[in-house]
Amino acid sequence: MGRLQTWGAAARRSPVFWAVSTLVVLALVSGGVVLATRSTRSPAPAPPASTRAVALGDSVPYGHGLHNPYLTPQVGLPADAVSQGPSLSAFPSLLAGDLGLTMTVRPTNCRLTGDQLSISGAVADGADNTARDGQCPVPPQQARNLSDEVAAADLARHPARLVLLQDGADDIDFARCLEYQLAQALGTNLGIGTRCVANGAITPHLAAVLSNVRTSLARAIETMAPHAGTIAVLDYYQPIPRPSQIADDTFASHLHTNLVCSGLKANAGTTYAAAQVVLGALNRSIAGAVADARTHHVTNVALIDISTAVDGHGVCTADPWIFSGEPVPDATLAADAADVLAAKACTGTDALHAASDCASLVTRADGAEKNLQGYVWRAAHPTAAGQRAIAAAADRLLRGRV
């Protein structure tokens, strides 16, 4: 230890020591400066956060009624309004604008591009609609559904800040549930619609369909979750008003009849009760899908409850935010109803008539039913005011988390 101290003292007296020491100190200092510069340099700016908003689902987010997805003109819209893309007045575009997000909207119905990918009639569970696509028949293809929309969104390559999802009503064909109730109320026994409620509860078939809807929605949520900031899953509003809210002048005027309001007025209580049962079951299925996704560790999904968004403004009210039906000339209604009833009478008496005897009547009845359906093609869908109400309800629940 003593020799080391002696050597150190001698070295410190050596000019070589000081020269080397100076070089070492300078190297350390300059290195320190370099290191300090590197450690305090501002980090490279992070890539900008996505401002993309994506919309998936069925006729409500598409804006059915405001736009026409079909190849033929529809009552209430201009003759050239055919095969349209989603409406800019539908809630997804309104909400994206309110939240400062971007959403590109395809200009036509059949080419599934951009961010607004909703399809009128799309089902959540592909097994619920295996028919050919009647909106876009060239080239022939199966009806498009939620899985097609998810694929078109391509979220893995193009993540989104917000994904809006509303689907499931077409799986149970909610409109046909209403048609059945309204036809029963009219007492015409036209045989249209689907019975969805029995003894105060949804039918077993409907319950099975909703179970599959829940599974399909949960699967879609889980698939998209890694590539989205927030997935907002919307349930559905109630289009049928309380009986006391129906306006007396909505079902008939100037020799024209509103099929929806006439049927509703005839038995408002029963129709409203059945609609509540169906809506409750549908919304519970959607809430269940969100709960299932959370159970599987999805933390960025939010349930957006819009079940009361249009309360007091349903079909046939004094200030409707939901389309009911276009007024049908009474003469047209009488002629079409006669054709439908004549065909039913003929086919219902097989012992008296061969099938060929009824063929022409059945053809006329099919045409008459399609004609009448044209007057209610957008019934139960939101008007522009209804879409704004849905957007406002979703905005209140999403503001601050997107």
Side-chain angles (χ1 to χ4, degrees), residues 7 16 25 27 48 100 109 144 147 184 187 210 215 259 296 308 322:
W7 176 86
V16 176
V25 169
N109 182 30
R144 299 165 296 167
S147 63
Q184 295 303 302
L210 286 176
T215 299
L259 293 174
H296 294 157
T308 62
I322 304 296

Side-chain angles (χ1 to χ4, degrees), residues 97-156:
D98 290 343
L99 296 173
L101 303 178
T102 57
M103 177 178 287
T104 58
V105 180
R106 67 185 189 274
T108 59
N109 182 30
C110 293
R111 191 160 175 260
L112 207 56
T113 60
D115 304 320
Q116 223 298 20
L117 298 165
S118 303
I119 300 169
S120 185
V123 295
D125 184 359
D128 290 330
N129 187 1
T130 58
R132 290 288 188 179
D133 190 340
Q135 297 176 18
C136 307
V138 181
Q141 62 180 339
Q142 185 174 320
R144 299 165 296 167
N145 56 47
L146 178 59
S147 63
D148 299 303
E149 298 172 13
V150 172
D154 197 9
L155 290 169

Side-chain angles (χ1 to χ4, degrees), residues 362-389:
V362 170
T363 299
R364 287 174 59 184
D366 288 343
E369 186 172 334
K370 288 179 181 177
N371 183 52
L372 294 177
Q373 287 174 344
Y375 288 94
V376 296
W377 73 280
R378 56 185 180 178
H381 291 90
T383 64
Q387 292 282 1
R388 287 194 298 271

Side-chain angles (χ1 to χ4, degrees), residues 109-205:
N109 182 30
C110 293
R111 191 160 175 260
L112 207 56
T113 60
D115 304 320
Q116 223 298 20
L117 298 165
S118 303
I119 300 169
S120 185
V123 295
D125 184 359
D128 290 330
N129 187 1
T130 58
R132 290 288 188 179
D133 190 340
Q135 297 176 18
C136 307
V138 181
Q141 62 180 339
Q142 185 174 320
R144 299 165 296 167
N145 56 47
L146 178 59
S147 63
D148 299 303
E149 298 172 13
V150 172
D154 197 9
L155 290 169
R157 290 202 303 166
H158 305 287
R161 176 87 66 86
L162 174 65
V163 174
L164 298 168
L165 171 59
Q166 185 183 46
D167 210 354
D170 281 299
D171 292 75
I172 64 172
D173 208 338
F174 190 70
R176 287 189 64 81
C177 295
L178 295 180
E179 282 179 10
Y180 178 87
Q181 289 297 140
L182 296 174
Q184 295 303 302
L186 282 170
T188 55
N189 193 26
L190 295 178
I192 62 174
T194 303
R195 186 175 188 181
C196 297
V197 175
N199 300 319
I202 59 172
T203 61
H205 170 72

Side-chain angles (χ1 to χ4, degrees), residues 26-401:
L26 288 175
L28 288 174
V29 170
S30 63
V33 170
V34 171
L35 290 174
T37 301
R38 287 176 180 167
S39 64
T40 59
R41 182 182 299 164
S42 298
S50 170
T51 60
R52 185 188 187 199
V54 170
L56 308 174
D58 57 23
S59 54
V60 178
Y62 163 86
H64 187 96
L66 299 174
H67 274 187
N68 171 20
Y70 305 123
L71 294 170
T72 55
Q74 299 297 316
V75 179
L77 290 181
D80 61 350
V82 295
S83 195
Q84 296 177 287
S87 172
L88 291 173
S89 296
F91 77 81
S93 291
L94 300 178
L95 186 57
D98 290 343
L99 296 173
L101 303 178
T102 57
M103 177 178 287
T104 58
V105 180
R106 67 185 189 274
T108 59
N109 182 30
C110 293
R111 191 160 175 260
L112 207 56
T113 60
D115 304 320
Q116 223 298 20
L117 298 165
S118 303
I119 300 169
S120 185
V123 295
D125 184 359
D128 290 330
N129 187 1
T130 58
R132 290 288 188 179
D133 190 340
Q135 297 176 18
C136 307
V138 181
Q141 62 180 339
Q142 185 174 320
R144 299 165 296 167
N145 56 47
L146 178 59
S147 63
D148 299 303
E149 298 172 13
V150 172
D154 197 9
L155 290 169
R157 290 202 303 166
H158 305 287
R161 176 87 66 86
L162 174 65
V163 174
L164 298 168
L165 171 59
Q166 185 183 46
D167 210 354
D170 281 299
D171 292 75
I172 64 172
D173 208 338
F174 190 70
R176 287 189 64 81
C177 295
L178 295 180
E179 282 179 10
Y180 178 87
Q181 289 297 140
L182 296 174
Q184 295 303 302
L186 282 170
T188 55
N189 193 26
L190 295 178
I192 62 174
T194 303
R195 186 175 188 181
C196 297
V197 175
N199 300 319
I202 59 172
T203 61
H205 170 72
L206 199 65
V209 170
L210 286 176
S211 176
N212 293 335
V213 165
R214 176 173 177 165
T215 299
S216 296
L217 286 177
R219 184 184 304 120
I221 294 166
E222 292 168 31
T223 298
M224 296 186 293
H227 315 294
T230 299
I231 300 176
V233 182
L234 283 77
D235 59 12
Y236 288 88
Y237 56 89
Q238 177 56 269
I240 302 300
R242 298 179 184 277
S244 61
Q245 296 170 337
I246 299 172
D248 289 335
D249 60 352
T250 59
F251 57 93
S253 77
H254 302 99
L255 300 179
H256 285 67
T257 299
N258 187 308
L259 293 174
V260 172
C261 296
S262 295
L264 185 58
K265 184 70 173 178
N267 200 340
T270 300
T271 303
Y272 176 73
Q276 285 288 83
V277 169
V278 174
L279 181 71
L282 173 60
N283 283 352
R284 284 192 296 275
S285 177
I286 294 168
V290 172
D292 292 345
R294 287 173 175 160
T295 299
H296 294 157
H297 311 295
V298 173
T299 59
N300 58 338
V301 61
L303 177 64
I304 307 300
D305 180 13
I306 64 161
S307 58
T308 62
V310 300
D311 277 8
H313 299 276
V315 300
C316 310
T317 56
D319 182 20
W321 294 351
I322 304 296
F323 290 110
S324 54
E326 312 301 323
V328 185
D330 286 351
T332 300
L333 175 58
D336 286 342
D339 286 342
V340 173
L341 293 173
K344 288 181 64 66
C346 187
T347 57
T349 54
D350 294 338
L352 301 176
H353 301 92
S356 57
D357 295 337
C358 301
S360 62
L361 290 175
V362 170
T363 299
R364 287 174 59 184
D366 288 343
E369 186 172 334
K370 288 179 181 177
N371 183 52
L372 294 177
Q373 287 174 344
Y375 288 94
V376 296
W377 73 280
R378 56 185 180 178
H381 291 90
T383 64
Q387 292 282 1
R388 287 194 298 271
I390 294 171
D395 190 338
R396 286 192 295 272
L397 294 170
L398 285 172
R399 182 71 61 175
R401 76 174 289 167

